[in-house]
Amino acid sequence: MVTGNLQALPPTVATFDALYSWYFDIGVTASVVVIGMLVLFMVKYRSKSPVFERVSHRPESWKIVLVTVAISLTLLGTVEYQTFASFSNITVPDPPSSIYVRVTGMQWQWNFTYSNGVSQLGNLTVPAGRVIILNITSIDVFHSFGLTMLDVKEDAIPGRVNQAWFEINQTGTYTDAIRCFELCGIGHATMIANLTVVSPAAWNRFIGGSS
Ligand SMILES: [Cu+2]
């Protein structure tokens, strides 16, 4: 979920937001209907109600069961379909123009290493409008790389490389945009980094002509 001042939603964020809306809307609707019916039936079929005696002999109750099952399957099928249909927007792409950055978590800071071998502590610099693929690892304990403004979160595990990706079109410095989301020791709360999104020209100067 974007909380900053981004004007256009990056593709992964739009996908996650749409999925969240599907689950949230259906979840809330189902809750309201179920709780409403519970209260209604508690009153309508209470022991002193005039309809109480007739309830246990109602012959067509299988129809209600059928309708309930059909509605449930339709709702579940809808969110499942939306979830699987979103996979192509969420899985790591690999266009030739992708930028790879190695992200190393350590107690208690983030280190970013670029294709030219340069490293930055506490700041991730990326160009606008390109797919950024992060190779995330740790050199000590478990950490979790979170760039929640862009719905990116991935564990940083020693001896393992996990990938995450994002794309952002708006240049700027996003202060404290990156945090650790795995309790990793006494300095966990201060394991924060900035995201700096630069223009393609500035990126080329930064990376020294290669990417
Ligand atoms: Cu950590």
Side-chain angles (χ1 to χ4, degrees), residues 76-92:
L76 289 174
T78 304
V79 289
E80 283 304 307
Y81 174 78
Q82 293 296 335
T83 302
F84 284 101
S86 302
F87 280 4
S88 60
N89 289 341
I90 293 169
T91 46
V92 180

Side-chain angles (χ1 to χ4, degrees), residues 143 180 182 184 188 191:
H143 300 279
C180 181
E182 177 74 50
C184 58
H188 166 67
M191 197 164 158

Side-chain angles (χ1 to χ4, degrees), residues 46-126:
R46 67 194 187 281
S47 61
K48 288 179 182 164
S49 161
V51 297
F52 176 70
E53 287 301 321
R54 287 182 277 136
V55 173
S56 56
H57 303 297
R58 197 169 168 171
E60 71 276 19
S61 56
W62 66 271
K63 290 180 188 168
I64 296 171
V65 173
L66 205 63
V67 170
T68 307
V69 169
I71 291 174
S72 303
L73 285 179
T74 305
L75 293 179
L76 289 174
T78 304
V79 289
E80 283 304 307
Y81 174 78
Q82 293 296 335
T83 302
F84 284 101
S86 302
F87 280 4
S88 60
N89 289 341
I90 293 169
T91 46
V92 180
D94 192 14
S97 60
S98 297
I99 305 290
Y100 286 84
V101 181
R102 188 171 183 89
V103 179
T104 308
M106 63 189 80
Q107 290 172 316
W108 288 276
Q109 50 197 348
W110 293 106
N111 187 42
F112 303 97
T113 307
Y114 305 94
S115 59
N116 61 359
V118 170
S119 288
Q120 282 186 311
L121 266 181
N123 183 75
L124 170 60
T125 303
V126 298

